[in-house]
Amino acid sequence: MKILAVCGSGLGTSFMVEMNIEQVLKELGVTGVEVSHSDLSSATPQDADVFFLAKDIAEGGAHLGEIVVLDNIIDMEELREKVKQLAEEKNLI
Amino acid sequence: MEGILSLLVDVMSEPAILVASIALVGLLAQRKNLSDTMKGTTKTFVGFLVIAAGAGLLERALSPFGAMFQEAFNMTGVVPNNEAIVALALTEYGSNTALIMFFGMVVNILIARFTRFKYIFLTGHHTLYMACMLAIIMAVAGFKSVGLIAVGAVALGIIMTLSPAIVQPFIRKLTGNDNVALGHFSAVGYAISGLVGKAVKGKKEITSTEKIDFPKGLGFLRDSTVSIALTMTVMYIIVALFAGPTFIEGELSEGTNFLVYSFIEAGNFAAGVFIILSGVRLVLAEIVPAFKGISTKLVPNAKPALDVPIIFTYAPNAVLIGFFSSFMGGVFSLVVMTFAGSTIILPGVVPHFFTGAAAGVLGNATGGVRGSIAGSFVNGIIISFLPIFLLPVLGELGFANTTFSDADFGVSGIFFGTLANYAGPIAIVISLVVILALMAIPFGKKKKVQQ
């Protein structure tokens, strides 16, 4: 499976979210998931299976397919919960 | 022996190889496996060359704009854009930039470890851009080789720690905790916006921007390719109309219709930035996680300073208000500059969006709607006027039709550049020592505020 974190410029925020997703996956003991980051323009539905976006750009990324919207991008608890839920849905844990 | 030495010099003066080596060191320090190490090192190497390719495209799109602006208004027009100026500068200052960035991160960790400033600056692209600006300024000031790297790195480490520190009082007020800091080099603008918000809030209870019902639908501006292409098209077409078809078709476009030509060049500018951003992403992909991993191990209680959109979700309405108000500040400044006859700084939509939005959010936190509008308007004026004074200290790159856009680049660039002009390189060394000494003193008073 592949996860893509997306933000407006694809430099800082999405990068931070990517590193945090990786950390959560490691905590959960999930392996075989590729995580990377990108900007809103370059991201296409083919780039990944699931996309993580902050609430404020969720509208602009609706076309990407399966998206997970983060209400607060620095809240690790929220991220942990959402990644865990995703992993359960995809039968990764 | 001499052969080996000249080979070493060749390697060190190729920034792409140098940056790749830094990534390699980081990957080895994290004990990554062979596959990850190979992948990361190669991507960093290629990423640097991608930036150079984008720089070529961007330069070809930007120089006719400069010529047209000159013809139309008989003044120089500058479009501040970090990616553009950095990409142009890296061809000459690439190796020094890479080394200043690497050692600057080390200095940041050391300062965070041993002083009360616990900030670790994790916004990698801004670290890269600041390293690049310092490489230019220290070279123009007269530093060379090892001295240049040392001075640049210490300056970078200090800026990486002080920039989050000056906005932190306002971030604390906004987020209600002290665990996260803002790592974005426009902190001077944000802090002033917070202060302006406080000053204009009045006696009545403050009304937050979030109580307003606001139309959404400007989300496309968050997409940097779209917003850059649109604003550059508008600017290019306006300038083209003033410069006239005779000049453009005769001198620049080789007969192609002047509006079609301008439209395509505006698109090329956005395309250049797009390529550069991809390159920056490749370069930073390994360096930032390594920096993060190493710093959390070495610095207990480190506060990560993160990219600016982290505060946008606290006040989405203030983001839009801040952008508009800051842009208005930019337009107001442009009118003032026109009358003053100085170099014209054109309001770039990207810096006004990101820094204006953050200024709006922080202004709202201290002064509600009024604070948000006034604070970001002042931010717009600040980021318009700082580049005028920054241009002269950048040497030849001051004539590139583009420059660094955010406030901290202006403030620190002008600070070091002016010191060098009036008192020579030695003044820069002394100032760095004094600042470090001041930072090392554990002020009792300041500590109370921090609790």
Side-chain angles (χ1 to χ4, degrees), chain B residues 246-333:
Chain B
T246 332
F247 173 74
I248 296 172
E249 285 164 18
E251 305 274 325
L252 299 168
S253 73
E254 292 169 357
T256 308
N257 175 281
F258 72 117
L259 290 177
V260 174
Y261 175 76
S262 305
F263 188 59
I264 294 297
E265 290 306 325
N268 271 336
F269 185 88
V273 172
F274 185 89
I275 296 173
I276 293 162
L277 287 177
S278 320
V280 170
R281 226 168 280 145
L282 284 171
V283 167
L284 296 178
E286 305 302 329
I287 295 174
V288 174
F291 178 53
K292 190 185 177 206
I294 293 164
S295 59
T296 35
K297 260 184 213 142
L298 297 181
V299 186
N301 310 321
K303 283 181 201 142
L306 305 170
D307 196 12
V308 69
I310 61 165
I311 64 168
F312 289 177
T313 43
Y314 285 90
N317 286 345
V319 167
L320 288 178
I321 293 175
F323 163 58
F324 275 121
S325 190
S326 179
F327 197 80
M328 285 303 126
V331 172
F332 169 78
S333 310

Side-chain angles (χ1 to χ4, degrees), chain B residues 168-375:
Chain B
Q168 193 58 9
F170 305 102
I171 298 293
R172 257 199 311 273
K173 187 164 168 55
L174 178 74
T175 62
N177 69 51
D178 204 8
N179 302 328
V180 175
L182 186 61
H184 201 252
F185 284 141
S186 210
V188 173
Y190 305 150
I192 291 177
S193 177
L195 292 175
V196 168
K198 216 178 255 179
V200 299
K201 77 172 182 199
K203 287 193 184 105
K204 277 188 277 175
E205 206 180 314
I206 58 171
T207 332
S208 167
T209 50
E210 304 318 294
K211 294 214 171 109
I212 312 172
D213 252 345
F214 219 52
K216 305 234 182 286
L218 285 163
F220 67 94
L221 287 174
R222 289 295 296 279
D223 192 323
S224 60
T225 307
V226 179
S227 55
I228 290 175
L230 288 180
T231 41
M232 282 312 283
T233 304
V234 171
M235 285 190 202
Y236 241 109
I237 298 286
I238 292 176
V239 174
L241 288 172
F242 277 97
T246 332
F247 173 74
I248 296 172
E249 285 164 18
E251 305 274 325
L252 299 168
S253 73
E254 292 169 357
T256 308
N257 175 281
F258 72 117
L259 290 177
V260 174
Y261 175 76
S262 305
F263 188 59
I264 294 297
E265 290 306 325
N268 271 336
F269 185 88
V273 172
F274 185 89
I275 296 173
I276 293 162
L277 287 177
S278 320
V280 170
R281 226 168 280 145
L282 284 171
V283 167
L284 296 178
E286 305 302 329
I287 295 174
V288 174
F291 178 53
K292 190 185 177 206
I294 293 164
S295 59
T296 35
K297 260 184 213 142
L298 297 181
V299 186
N301 310 321
K303 283 181 201 142
L306 305 170
D307 196 12
V308 69
I310 61 165
I311 64 168
F312 289 177
T313 43
Y314 285 90
N317 286 345
V319 167
L320 288 178
I321 293 175
F323 163 58
F324 275 121
S325 190
S326 179
F327 197 80
M328 285 303 126
V331 172
F332 169 78
S333 310
L334 184 140
V335 173
V336 173
M337 289 167 199
T338 314
F339 282 110
S342 71
T343 299
I344 305 289
I345 305 296
L346 294 158
V349 73
V350 174
H352 280 292
F353 188 87
F354 284 102
T355 73
V361 172
L362 293 171
N364 179 50
T366 56
V369 181
R370 276 204 263 176
S372 181
I373 295 173

Side-chain angles (χ1 to χ4, degrees), chain A residues 11-12, chain B residues 80-83 86 97 100-101 104-105 107-108 111 119-135 152-167 171 181-192 284 288 291 305-312 350-352 354-356 358-359 362 379 382-384 386-387 390 403-414 416 439:
Chain A
L11 286 175
Chain B
N81 181 296
N82 287 332
E83 282 74 28
V86 167
T97 301
I100 289 177
M101 179 170 174
M105 288 165 140
V107 174
N108 181 200
I111 294 176
Y119 306 101
I120 296 290
F121 195 95
L122 290 176
T123 309
H125 58 290
H126 264 203
T127 310
L128 173 68
Y129 304 163
M130 187 61 89
C132 179
M133 189 192 75
L134 290 168
V154 171
L156 179 61
I158 291 174
I159 298 168
M160 287 167 86
T161 343
L162 282 188
S163 169
I166 60 171
V167 227
I171 298 293
L182 186 61
H184 201 252
F185 284 141
S186 210
V188 173
Y190 305 150
I192 291 177
L284 296 178
V288 174
F291 178 53
L306 305 170
D307 196 12
V308 69
I310 61 165
I311 64 168
F312 289 177
V350 174
H352 280 292
F354 284 102
T355 73
L362 293 171
N379 174 73
I382 292 173
I383 64 166
S384 303
L386 281 175
L390 179 64
T403 195
F404 295 93
S405 53
D406 303 356
D408 295 1
F409 292 98
V411 171
S412 35
I414 294 164
F416 291 120
M439 289 171 80

